C-alpha cells in the first residue's frame, strides 16, 4: 500500500493534496511527496521487502502509488556488480557498479516513468507525455503502450535515428520540434500547461521523481542492508542525485539500515556543467548553460533540482567533477574493456569522473564506492564509433588471416598444428 | 489573463539595472516576483508575467536582448 500523505513545498512547506501539481502557488517552489514514516516503520521489514517482486515494486511501501496499479514491465532490481578490474585500473579497492542499463528500455528512466505512469493512471489520466532527447521518450512510449494509454512525445528535430526508433516502435504520437534547445523547452513548458495530460516531468513530477529512490533502496539491500561510503552519480536535472540519498535516508528512518554517512559526489560533462561549475565556485546559485556535449542525456542547462544537488554535495562532503567529451569516450571504452559493460555517454561521464575524483584524492581508495551506470551504450553508438579499432579484413583463406593476424601481433604467428 | 512563470538570471553587468521595473513600464505585463536570490555578482528571480501572450513574448525578448537569461521557472522541460 502507499503511505503518501500530501504534497509539500520544499521551500515554504505548505501542504497540498495528492493531485497532479508540481509547484507551490505561493512561492513557486517544487512540491515533493510526504509520507507517514511511522506507519511505514510499523509495517516494513527486510523480510517483507525480500519476499516482494524482483522489481522496484518490492519497495512499493515507499512509493506514492499503489502497487496494484503498477504497469509492471519488469523495471528495477538491476545488478550491483563488484568492479574489480575497473577498480584496479582506477586505484579503488571496493568499487561497485549499479548496472541500470538492463531495464526494459535500457535506462534508469524506466524507474521514474513506472511510478509516474502508475500514479497518472490513479489520477485518471489517459495520456502520458514528455519532452526528451532519448531515454525518457523511450520509457514513456513503452509504459504507455503497456498500460493502454496514449503517449505524446516531443523530441528535438535533429535527434539521432536510433533514439527516434527507440520511441516510435511503441507507436506514440511523436512530435519533432523545430528550433534550438531553448525554443523546444519553452514550447514544451507551454504545452505541458495547456493540455490535460500527465506530462511526466512537469505536472506529475513529484511522483515521477520518487522512482529514483529505488536505486538507493536496491543498492543498500544488495550490499547486505547498508549504505555505501561514497556514491558517484551523473547529474542532469539533479533529481536522481538527490533521490538516491533520500532512498538511504528513508531506509534509516524506518529502521532498515543504520544512519547513512554516504558521501554523494556528482558527475557532469564539461559541455553542460551548471552544477559542477557552481560547486567549483563555492556557491549554490548555479547559472543556466546552453548544453554542448555528446552526453545528451545529461544536457540539462537549467536543472530543476540543481540547487538541491548543490546543497547535498555540501551536506554530505561530496565533490562534483566535470569531464570533456574525449574523456567521456575514454570512460565508455574503459568500462567496456574492463567490466564488459557497454554504457551510453552518461556512463562514460560517471566513469571518467570517478577517475578524476580518485586522482584528485577526493575518493579514498578503500571506500566502498558505488558508481551509477544509468543507460545502455547502443543508444549512443555514434559517440564511440569513430574511436574503435578497425576490424581485420581478410580473404577466406588461412594465409590471408595469418598475415592479417600476424601483422596485428607484430609478426608473431600463433598458428598451432592440430 | 494568460500568465507565464519564468526565471530571470542576471549577469554581473545587470545586477544594478532595474530590469523588472522597466519591463513593467515598457510592456503591458504585470510582474509578480515570488522567489529571488541576488548578490553583487549574480542573481536570479522567479516571477510570474501576466498579460497577453504576444505582450509576454515581447517582454521576454526585450529582457533577453538586454542580456537576461530567461528560462521556464520549474527548470528545463526537455530531459534526457
Amino acid at each position: 500500500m502507499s503511505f503518501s500523505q500530501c504534497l509539500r513545498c520544499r521551500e515554504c512547506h505548505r501542504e497540498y493534496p495528492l493531485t497532479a501539481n508540481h509547484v507551490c502557488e505561493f512561492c513557486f517552489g517544487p512540491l515533493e511527496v510526504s509520507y507517514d514514516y511511522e506507519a511505514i516503520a510499523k509495517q516494513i521489514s527486510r523480510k517483507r521487502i525480500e519476499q516482494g517482486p524482483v522489481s522496484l515494486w518490492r519497495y512499493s511501501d515507499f512509493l506514492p502509488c499503489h502497487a496494484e496499479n503498477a504497469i509492471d514491465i519488469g523495471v528495477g532490481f538491476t545488478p550491483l556488480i563488484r568492479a574489480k578490474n575497473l577498480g584496479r585500473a582506477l586505484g579503488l579497492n571496493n568499487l561497485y557498479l549499479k548496472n541500470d542499463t538492463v531495464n526494459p528500455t535500457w535506462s534508469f528512466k524506466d524507474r521514474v516513468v513506472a511510478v509516474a505512469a502508475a500514479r497518472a493512471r490513479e489520477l485518471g489520466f489517459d495520456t502520458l507525455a514528455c519532452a526528451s532527447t532519448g531515454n525518457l521518450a523511450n520509457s514513456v512510449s513503452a509504459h504507455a503502450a503497456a498500460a493502454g494509454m496514449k503517449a505524446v512525445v516531443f523530441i528535438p528535430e535533429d535527434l539521432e535515428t536510433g533514439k527516434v526508433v527507440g520511441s516510435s516502435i511503441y507507436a506514440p504520437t511523436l512530435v519533432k520540434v523545430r528550433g534550438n534547445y531553448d525554443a523546444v523547452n519553452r514550447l514544451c513548458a507551454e504545452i505541458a500547461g495547456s493540455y490535460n495530460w500527465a506530462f511526466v516531468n512537469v505536472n506529475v513530477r513529484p511522483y515521477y521523481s520518487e522512482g529514483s529512490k529505488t536505486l538507493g533502496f536496491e543498492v543498500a539491500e544488495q550490499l547486505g542492508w547498508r549504505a555505501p561510503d561514497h556514491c558517484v552519480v551523473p547529474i542532469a536535472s539533479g533529481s536522481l542525485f538527490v533521490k538516491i540519498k533520500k532512498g538511504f535516508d528513508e531506509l534509516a528512518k524506518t529502521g532498515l539500515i543504520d544512519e547513512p554517512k554516504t558521501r554523494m559526489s556528482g558527475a557532469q560533462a564539461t559541455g553542460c556543467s551548471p552544477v559542477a561549475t557552481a560547486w567549483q565556485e563555492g556557491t549554490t546559485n548555479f547559472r543556466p548553460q546552453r548544453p554542448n556535449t555528446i552526453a545528451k542525456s545529461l544536457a540539462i542547462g537549467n536543472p530543476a533540482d540543481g540547487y538541491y544537488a548543490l546543497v547535498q554535495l555540501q551536506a554530505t562532503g561530496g565533490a562534483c567533477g566535470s569531464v570533456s567529451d574525449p574523456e567521456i569516450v575514454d570512460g565508455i571504452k574503459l568500462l567496456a574493456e574492463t567490466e564488459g559493460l557497454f554504457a551510453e555517454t552518461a556512463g562514460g561521464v560517471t566513469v571518467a569522473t570517478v577517475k578524476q575524483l580518485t586522482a584528485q584524492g577526493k575518493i579514498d581508495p578503500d571506500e566502498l564506492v558505488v558508481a551509477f551506470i544509468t543507460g545502455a551504450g547502443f543508444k549512443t553508438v555514434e559517440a564511440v564509433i569513430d574511436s574503435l579499432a578497425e576490424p581485420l579484413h581478410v580473404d577466406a583463406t588461412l594465409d590471408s588471416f595469418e598475415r592479417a593476424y600476424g601483422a596485428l601481433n607484430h609478426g608473431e604467428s600463433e598458428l598451432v598444428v592440430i | 489573463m494568460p500568465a507565464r512563470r519564468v526565471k530571470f538570471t542576471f549577469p554581473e553587468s545587470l545586477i544594478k539595472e532595474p530590469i523588472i521595473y522597466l519591463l513593467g513600464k515598457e510592456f503591458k505585463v504585470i510582474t509578480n516576483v515570488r522567489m529571488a536570490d541576488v548578490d553583487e555578482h549574480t542573481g536570479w528571480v522567479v516571477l510570474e508575467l501576466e498579460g497577453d501572450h504576444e505582450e509576454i513574448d515581447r517582454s521576454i525578448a526585450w529582457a533577453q536582448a538586454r542580456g537576461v537569461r530567461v528560462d521556464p521557472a520549474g527548470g528545463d522541460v526537455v530531459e534526457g
Side-chain angles (χ1 to χ4, degrees):
Chain A
M1 67 177 287
S2 175
F3 292 92
S4 50
Q5 290 179 311
C6 63
L7 298 176
R8 181 173 290 132
C9 176
R10 278 201 219 171
E11 293 299 322
C12 71
H13 307 296
R14 275 188 173 76
E15 293 183 355
Y16 295 84
L18 290 160
T19 58
N21 185 12
H22 69 297
V23 66
C24 175
E25 287 301 316
F26 286 85
C27 70
F28 291 174
L31 301 183
E32 189 173 44
V33 180
S34 177
Y35 299 87
D36 181 352
Y37 289 112
E38 280 184 24
I40 296 176
K42 279 185 193 148
Q43 173 151 320
I44 202 77
S45 67
R46 292 177 178 178
K47 192 175 172 193
R48 178 180 162 86
I49 292 172
E50 286 162 358
Q51 289 176 340
V54 188
S55 72
L56 61 74
W57 297 109
R58 69 206 271 117
Y59 308 106
S60 61
D61 291 330
F62 291 98
L63 295 175
C65 50
H66 299 279
E68 54 268 30
N69 296 322
I71 297 123
D72 191 356
I73 60 172
V75 177
F77 216 71
T78 56
L80 182 72
I81 301 161
R82 180 81 191 267
K84 285 186 179 171
N85 298 332
L86 180 62
R88 200 175 300 120
L90 300 180
L92 295 173
N93 300 319
N94 285 303
L95 176 63
Y96 288 78
L97 301 172
K98 181 60 174 166
N99 179 13
D100 238 22
T101 71
V102 295
N103 277 309
T105 71
W106 305 286
S107 90
F108 92 98
K109 290 291 187 190
D110 283 329
R111 295 176 183 274
V112 282
V113 175
V115 176
R119 185 63 188 144
R121 204 147 71 160
E122 289 177 352
L123 291 168
F125 288 102
D126 65 1
T127 304
L128 287 183
C130 74
S132 166
T133 56
N135 292 334
L136 182 58
N138 296 170
S139 187
V140 164
S141 303
H143 276 88
M149 298 172 83
K150 287 178 273 186
V152 185
V153 169
F154 297 84
I155 57 173
E157 192 182 37
D158 60 352
L159 207 57
E160 299 90 333
T161 308
K163 289 178 181 167
V164 178
V165 172
S167 293
S168 53
I169 190 67
Y170 305 108
T173 300
L174 198 62
V175 184
K176 285 188 170 184
V177 182
R178 286 188 288 273
N180 66 17
Y181 186 83
D182 288 347
V184 177
N185 244 316
R186 268 198 299 279
L187 172 70
C188 291
E190 218 171 316
I191 288 170
S194 308
Y195 287 79
N196 189 31
W197 298 337
F199 217 101
V200 294
N201 58 328
V202 183
N203 58 337
V204 291
R205 186 177 181 84
Y207 311 103
Y208 161 92
S209 60
E210 289 290 282
S212 292
K213 291 189 310 191
T214 58
L215 270 165
F217 298 149
E218 286 178 22
V219 164
E221 182 181 348
Q222 289 167 320
L223 287 173
W225 295 107
R226 59 156 292 190
D229 299 324
H230 204 144
C231 288
V232 182
V233 183
I235 293 182
S237 73
S239 174
L240 173 68
F241 181 70
V242 172
K243 294 289 182 173
I244 287 172
K245 176 64 165 49
K246 186 180 180 189
F248 300 146
D249 291 340
E250 287 187 341
L251 292 181
K253 206 177 280 188
T254 51
L256 294 174
I257 63 170
D258 292 336
E259 199 62 39
K261 296 187 174 72
T262 310
R263 297 164 67 205
M264 298 294 296
S265 287
Q268 293 205 296
T270 307
C272 184
S273 53
V275 174
T277 303
W279 167 252
Q280 279 148 21
E281 291 171 353
T283 174
T284 51
N285 266 343
F286 67 87
R287 285 192 300 275
Q289 296 180 357
R290 284 198 175 76
N292 181 21
T293 170
I294 59 168
K296 291 192 170 59
S297 60
L298 302 183
I300 294 190
N302 179 28
D305 290 302
Y307 166 76
Y308 302 104
L310 284 157
V311 169
Q312 182 166 281
L313 281 163
Q314 283 184 351
T316 65
C320 194
S322 71
V323 291
S324 67
D325 285 356
E327 287 175 305
I328 294 167
V329 172
D330 289 346
I332 295 171
K333 291 169 70 177
L334 181 63
L335 179 62
E337 290 166 15
T338 55
E339 297 297 337
L341 205 168
F342 183 20
E344 62 139 319
T345 44
V349 171
T350 302
V351 170
T353 300
V354 171
K355 183 179 179 181
Q356 182 184 80
L357 296 180
T358 304
Q360 291 171 351
K362 289 174 179 157
I363 298 177
D364 187 283
D366 291 319
E367 282 184 309
L368 196 163
V369 181
V370 177
F372 290 78
I373 308 300
T374 52
F378 283 106
K379 293 192 177 219
T380 58
V381 287
E382 65 285 346
V384 292
I385 201 156
D386 294 332
S387 67
L388 302 177
E390 270 289 303
L392 299 180
H393 295 274
V394 302
D395 298 324
T397 65
L398 185 60
D399 178 57
S400 174
F401 169 73
E402 264 278 274
R403 270 187 281 116
Y405 191 62
L408 187 72
N409 291 286
H410 310 294
E412 286 183 26
S413 172
E414 290 177 19
L415 184 66
V416 287
V417 179
I418 303 171
Chain B
M1 201 156 27
R4 205 173 307 169
R5 295 165 181 181
V6 294
K7 181 181 183 183
F8 282 8
T9 305
F10 300 97
E12 189 165 355
S13 59
L14 289 179
I15 290 294
K16 292 196 285 183
E17 300 290 318
I19 296 285
I20 294 169
Y21 165 78
L22 290 171
L23 185 145
K25 265 189 89 175
E26 293 275 334
F27 302 92
K28 285 186 180 164
V29 168
I30 301 167
T31 57
N32 188 349
V33 174
R34 299 298 183 90
M35 266 203 289
D37 191 351
V38 181
D39 60 29
E40 67 270 39
H41 299 299
T42 184
W44 56 263
V45 176
V46 169
L47 71 164
E48 191 165 59
L49 302 176
E50 201 177 326
D52 293 339
H53 280 303
E54 297 75 20
E55 196 69 352
I56 293 173
D57 285 341
R58 276 197 293 275
S59 70
I60 287 173
W62 173 87
Q64 287 173 321
R66 297 184 73 114
V68 178
R69 176 160 173 142
V70 184
D71 293 284
D76 282 358
V77 174
V78 182
E79 282 205 13

